[in-house]
Amino acid sequence: MNLDNPLADSLERAKCFEAGLRQVVLGQERPIRLLTLAVFARGHALLEGGVGVGKTTLLRAVARGIGGDYERIEGTIDLMPNDLVYYTYLDEQGRPGVAPGPLLKHGEQLSIFFFNEINRARPQVHSLLLRVMAERSVSAFNREFWFPHLQVFADRNRVEKEETFELPAAARDRFMLEIAIEPPTDAAQMDPILFDPRFYDPDRLVESAPAETLSFRELNGIAEALQGGIHVSARLRAYVQDLWRATRRPEDFGIALHEADSGDMIEAGASPRGMSYLVRLARVQAWLSGRDRVEPEDVQYVFAPAIGHRIFLRPVYEYRRSELIPQLVGKLIRQIAAP
């Protein structure tokens, strides 16, 4: 390893941050690693899973680990875009007033914005959130408000489908990662969750995690140094380009699914933005593994959560998406020759 000193120092704190998350939520090693990657790649992430699997607790622990202000909003069918920006009220004298809403009241101190059950909110709300995610700014009261350190994390409940709005392709492409969180299947990991009183109180559990092992104000600078300091070889660049082409035309690489004709299955493959996100994440994964160059396994580790939601199927196949996309992504990883 030949990392510059600033990156080497940050690496130790990153490992401490990740270890703190593992103390709070058990049996979620891969989701925790992916969240850590998102933090250092400075990308937004969508979490998907059932209820009670620890998504909110995990995000609160992330916020505690990086410092700054944390804000949460619930997606509901009657939520309007302005509800994210301001709210109106009557004061004690009965006079109307306006106050900053969840986005504005923290200003540049806002480091984590958690949108719970995003698929319950209307598309108009998604549109505002997209701008905040893309530009880290919002217009209100005839001025611009900036959130230079903001990361958006959203949760999509995969169990309940009534009164929900599926995220459009453009919205999903804004998320650097889609992270699936499943309950632990190992009895040894479930045992303390069920029987250790430490896990009964989420507030005390989050407070037990190390606080501000990282500084949210430093993360943009660390990410910039990291992306410039981790090398990607010419052969690995060609490998990533092959993966990208295969997301668009898998048949050109001899890849087909048993039950679906891949020749007409793909509506659109991964976007250039999605592939650049893949490389950014792979660089962070290499860094967390103690290397100053990206290896194929770094790309393969993040490929499914970074690219799977960016492959769009024709309508006739879309209803089988949860079955077909994992098969396709798996074949792309196994069958595209790595350097």
Side-chain angles (χ1 to χ4, degrees):
M1 181 172 62
N2 184 28
L3 298 175
D4 293 336
N5 281 335
L7 282 181
D9 293 342
S10 300
L11 179 58
E12 293 306 312
R13 291 189 289 157
K15 290 180 177 177
C16 181
F17 167 76
E18 187 177 22
L21 299 183
R22 287 176 175 164
Q23 292 174 17
V24 172
V25 180
L26 303 183
Q28 301 293 351
E29 283 75 12
R30 181 168 166 80
I32 286 172
R33 169 52 64 95
L34 293 173
L35 277 174
T36 306
L37 296 178
V39 166
F40 284 96
R42 307 308 294 145
H44 311 292
L46 179 66
L47 279 60
E48 184 174 76
V51 297
V53 294
K55 298 188 293 295
T56 303
T57 301
L58 187 53
L59 290 181
R60 289 179 61 194
V62 171
R64 181 175 172 82
I66 67 174
D69 289 347
Y70 167 86
E71 186 63 51
R72 166 179 170 156
I73 192 166
E74 301 293 326
T76 60
I77 194 164
D78 57 351
L79 188 72
M80 299 302 291
N82 287 343
D83 295 329
L84 274 64
V85 180
Y86 66 86
Y87 67 92
T88 58
Y89 65 94
L90 294 177
D91 64 16
E92 293 178 350
Q93 287 73 43
R95 294 174 299 194
V98 179
L103 277 173
L104 298 191
K105 67 182 179 183
H106 300 284
E108 295 187 1
Q109 283 289 114
L110 185 60
S111 62
I112 300 287
F113 186 77
F114 176 33
F115 202 122
N116 193 37
E117 299 213 44
I118 187 173
N119 54 335
R120 288 199 183 281
R122 294 175 180 272
Q124 299 94 317
V125 179
H126 297 162
S127 296
L128 176 65
L129 188 68
L130 287 183
R131 173 182 170 179
V132 174
M133 292 167 63
E135 303 176 13
R136 289 187 165 87
S137 69
V138 67
S139 301
F141 310 123
N142 295 321
R143 56 170 288 202
E144 292 286 307
F145 292 82
W146 298 92
F147 315 101
H149 311 290
L150 175 65
Q151 277 189 284
V152 173
F153 295 93
D155 158 68
R156 182 173 56 192
N157 186 336
R158 71 164 62 144
V159 177
E160 298 179 24
K161 297 297 182 185
E162 293 185 2
E163 294 187 337
T164 61
F165 301 89
E166 187 53 64
L167 292 174
R172 296 183 73 177
D173 197 56
R174 298 287 185 187
F175 287 99
M176 179 176 277
L177 288 165
E178 283 197 6
I179 304 173
I181 299 187
E182 305 289 349
T185 55
D186 188 337
Q189 293 173 328
M190 279 299 294
D191 189 82
I193 296 173
L194 298 181
F195 299 105
D196 185 343
R198 188 171 84 86
F199 293 93
Y200 293 172
D201 185 337
D203 293 336
R204 294 181 62 182
L205 185 60
V206 170
E207 289 173 3
S208 71
E212 300 189 32
T213 52
L214 303 164
S215 168
F216 73 100
R217 293 186 179 278
E218 294 180 86
L219 288 173
N220 288 341
I222 294 172
E224 184 177 351
L226 194 160
Q227 294 298 324
I230 305 298
H231 180 64
V232 182
S233 70
R235 296 179 65 188
L236 197 77
R237 290 170 190 237
Y239 174 55
V240 171
Q241 295 257 9
D242 282 347
L243 287 172
W244 179 45
R245 284 191 288 271
T247 67
R248 309 170 76 85
R249 293 183 58 84
E251 66 274 18
D252 290 352
F253 294 81
I255 296 171
L257 298 181
H258 294 302
E259 300 179 2
D261 181 5
S262 62
D264 68 352
M265 189 176 69
I266 306 294
E267 179 78 26
S271 64
R273 174 169 53 207
M275 295 306 290
S276 74
Y277 282 167
L278 174 75
V279 175
R280 285 165 59 178
L281 290 161
R283 279 192 162 115
V284 181
Q285 172 65 8
W287 175 64
L288 289 174
S289 302
R291 284 183 270 102
D292 62 359
R293 61 187 303 116
V294 179
E295 300 290 349
E297 57 262 35
D298 301 319
V299 175
Q300 292 161 357
Y301 185 84
V302 296
F303 187 78
I307 299 300
H309 62 289
R310 294 188 163 89
I311 301 175
F312 300 98
L313 305 179
R314 295 191 186 280
V316 69
Y317 298 109
E318 187 62 37
Y319 78 102
R320 296 174 58 198
R321 178 179 189 83
S322 61
E323 169 196 354
L324 296 176
I325 289 295
Q327 290 181 34
L328 177 61
V329 168
K331 288 197 171 191
L332 295 178
I333 291 297
R334 289 192 300 273
Q335 295 183 218
I336 302 294

